[in-house]
Structures are given as C-alpha cells and as structure tokens.
Amino acid sequence: MHEIHLYQRDKAARYRELIPQIRSLMEGETDMTANLANVSAALKEAFGFLWVGFYMVREHECELVLGPFQGPVACTRIAYGRGVCGTAWKEGRSIIVDDVEQFPGHIACSSLSRSEIVVPLEPSAGTILGVLDVDSSETGTFDEVDRRYLEMLCNIICESAK
Ligand code: SME
C-alpha cells in the first residue's frame, strides 16, 4: 500500500521527467519496433509496472499480435473486440480497468495482474496501429493522470514513425 501511495503522489512528476527522455531516445529513429522496445523498457524501469508492452494490428488480420514488451511472457494473439486490448482497439479509445476481475472478457496473461490501462496508437483519426498495455499487480493503479501521459507518449511514438 505504501508503495502505491507514493506512486499516486509522484507519478505526474515522474511522467513529466520521463517524457522528454523518451522523446530524445526516439530522436532520429523511425523504426517502430526499436522505439516500442525502448518505450516498454523505459516505462517498466521508471514505474516498476508488472507488464508493459504493445500489441500490434496486423494488416489483413482481425487480430492484435504481441510486440515489444517487458515483463512475464504473454499471450501472442488477441482478437478484435476481445479482452481489454481488443476492446480498446475496437472502440478506438483508452480503457482503464480498476479491477480486472470485474471486466467481462478480460484476458489473464498473468494471474498476478490486478488492474490495467490500454491506450491505442492512433496516428490519424480512425487508424489504429496497435495498443499500449500496462498491467499492475495491485487494483486501482491507473487513473486520468496515467491516461493523459500515456496518450501523450503514444502520440510521440506515432509522430516518430512519420
Ligand atoms: N489483459 C489483456 C491481455 C494482455 S496481457 O495482460 C499482457 C487484455 O485483456 O486484453
């Protein structure tokens, strides 16, 4: 509980510190895989989340496929509209789940996951390249602060690929 409390109090400051670091990490690099790999590592290192990674939309496929990530091994494919990731893709919006047991159809890649946030990578309105998924081993970890900064981060990633 103590750690979570500190996380909630300091996280906006930590995101504000992290975002320019990530921006400079991606400077001059247009390769999406390289950038997603570094973003996963940077978020995992900065916050110690259980799992941080990306699921990417595959052309001609109605599925998300596992991309760069940090944390325990995860399921490789998620269908359109399935789980939190597939729902965020279908609805084209970020989703915060306070308690994964209360989300119908949640896909449990790790039994340790208790809450999560999923943010689409949307370079232009209506086009979704994939999603960022962040999982926590505690319930209620993510809120509007996470949404705001993780959406900012996903916009920076989309910009870097242009
Ligand atoms: N929980 C996600 C699946 C991905 S893993 O958590 C890494 C979901 O329900 O879409």
Side-chain angles (χ1 to χ4, degrees), residues 51 55 74-75 78 82-86 105-109 116 133 135:
W51 197 92
Y55 281 91
C75 47
I78 297 175
R82 293 286 313 281
V84 188
C85 292
H106 168 260
I107 300 165
C109 288
E116 72 179 89
D133 179 7
D135 290 19

Side-chain angles (χ1 to χ4, degrees), residues 14-130:
R14 273 205 254 175
Y15 277 116
R16 280 196 294 270
E17 210 175 305
L18 188 65
I19 292 221
Q21 290 170 12
I22 287 180
R23 218 188 262 279
S24 64
L25 259 178
M26 290 194 288
E27 216 169 63
E29 182 53 76
T30 56
D31 186 273
M32 184 65 106
T33 305
N35 285 334
L36 299 183
N38 266 340
V39 169
S40 306
L43 279 171
K44 180 90 164 74
E45 289 287 310
F47 293 104
F49 295 127
L50 174 68
W51 197 92
V52 181
F54 295 87
Y55 281 91
M56 305 307 288
V57 174
R58 284 288 160 89
E59 221 176 333
H60 310 306
E61 292 177 43
C62 287
E63 276 181 332
L64 294 167
V65 179
L66 183 63
F69 73 97
Q70 297 273 314
V73 293
C75 47
T76 54
R77 288 170 190 268
I78 297 175
Y80 184 72
R82 293 286 313 281
V84 188
C85 292
T87 304
W89 174 25
K90 185 178 176 183
E91 295 182 1
R93 65 181 180 95
S94 303
I95 298 181
I96 293 170
V97 178
D98 286 334
D99 179 352
V100 297
E101 284 172 20
Q102 305 303 318
F103 188 95
H106 168 260
I107 300 165
C109 288
S110 165
S111 59
L112 296 175
S113 178
R114 290 281 171 274
S115 59
E116 72 179 89
I117 181 168
V118 176
V119 178
L121 283 169
E122 195 171 11
S124 56
T127 305
I128 294 184
L129 300 180

